[in-house]
Amino acid sequence: MPKVAYSEEDRERIRTALITVGLELMAKQGIQHTTVAQIYKKVGISRTFFYSFFPTKEDLIVETLYLQQPKIIAYVQELMNDPALSWRDAVKQFLHACCYGEKNGIAVLTIEEQQLIFKRLSKESCQVFRGRQLRLFGQILENFGIRADTARVSLFTNLSLTVMVVRRAIPNTLPLLIPEVVDETVDFQINAIVDALEILKEQNPQPQ
């Protein structure tokens, strides 16, 4: 079979399709359960051609998470602009949707996935990822109406990711935690986060 010559436009279209399909599958069935083969077969290309776009699966995962970020911000804005929701209910609904991301089309890295990705990515890629992640959480805070200084963004990032990854880690990764009360545990943690955010919002709101 002769090799197919792809234009730059074709390659960009295929690259975008790989990222989009990757995000759809990873959000639905989890990152660990999504294979490279599932992605490139759905896009309609070969394994070899896939690796001409992304040297590793981890490189693709990072790109899918970047693609997801503006969608997350749009979801936050939708909730905050919903007249049927109070501020508190909107924030709680957002955090709850992230904690149960597989039910809401949101890809969230498990503890194992975080470890694997950061072992395989270059130092520069890790730094870029961390910077973009902090910007995302800063934008979320601002949409909540809270001033997003460095300390607040860092703390909000840690608190939010903690409840998300712990929910995903019970019981397989964290077997000593009680699986029968995982939902109650998530609700308790989310309420505690929202309590703290509500105080920050009242004390020092984001300038309009």
Side-chain angles (χ1 to χ4, degrees):
M1 293 290 291
K3 290 186 177 180
V4 177
Y6 290 94
S7 67
E8 287 302 315
E9 291 78 10
D10 289 334
R11 287 186 60 85
E12 185 59 32
R13 175 181 53 79
I14 293 170
R15 185 178 188 277
T16 300
L18 290 169
I19 297 170
T20 303
V21 169
L23 177 58
E24 290 172 356
L25 292 175
M26 291 174 189
K28 182 179 180 180
Q29 61 192 29
I31 292 171
Q32 285 181 311
H33 299 293
T34 299
T35 66
V36 167
Q38 288 174 328
I39 297 169
Y40 68 69
K41 286 180 180 179
K42 190 166 184 180
V43 174
I45 64 172
S46 69
R47 180 183 182 87
T48 301
F49 196 32
F50 170 87
Y51 283 110
S52 74
F53 292 94
F54 301 101
T56 67
K57 178 184 176 182
E58 288 71 33
D59 289 294
L60 173 62
I61 291 171
V62 168
E63 290 298 324
T64 65
L65 295 176
Y66 290 159
L67 176 65
Q68 179 174 252
Q69 291 182 350
K71 298 181 179 182
I72 289 175
I73 295 300
Y75 179 51
V76 173
Q77 292 171 342
E78 177 186 338
L79 292 173
M80 299 307 295
N81 291 327
D82 188 341
L85 294 174
S86 67
W87 178 90
R88 186 178 182 89
D89 286 340
V91 176
K92 286 177 65 176
Q93 187 168 320
F94 169 73
L95 293 173
H96 191 274
C98 291
C99 287
Y100 296 86
E102 70 280 6
K103 298 178 181 179
N104 299 287
I106 301 173
V108 178
L109 293 174
T110 65
I111 294 173
E112 297 92 340
E113 289 162 351
Q114 290 184 42
Q115 292 172 338
L116 182 62
I117 287 174
F118 281 88
K119 282 180 181 177
R120 295 190 177 179
L121 289 181
S122 68
K123 182 178 180 180
E124 293 74 17
S125 295
C126 290
Q127 290 174 339
V128 170
F129 182 87
R130 184 177 296 277
R132 293 185 67 163
Q133 177 179 262
L134 289 172
R135 283 195 295 274
L136 169 65
F137 280 89
Q139 289 179 305
I140 294 170
L141 274 186
E142 289 171 354
N143 277 281
F144 288 167
I146 298 171
R147 189 185 301 276
D149 61 38
T150 301
R152 288 178 178 178
V153 172
S154 298
L155 180 59
F156 176 58
T157 300
N158 279 4
L159 292 174
S160 300
L161 291 179
T162 296
V163 64
M164 293 176 203
V165 299
V166 167
R167 204 286 300 179
R168 296 285 303 279
I170 300 173
N172 296 328
T173 307
L174 298 173
L176 293 182
L177 297 186
I178 312 301
E180 289 78 11
V181 292
V182 63
D183 293 336
E184 292 85 347
T185 303
V186 168
D187 287 342
F188 183 92
Q189 291 177 303
I190 288 176
N191 277 311
I193 293 172
V194 177
D195 286 344
L197 292 177
E198 196 164 21
I199 293 172
L200 291 178
K201 184 176 183 295
E202 292 172 355
Q203 288 179 344
N204 197 0
Q206 170 72 12
Q208 298 299 320

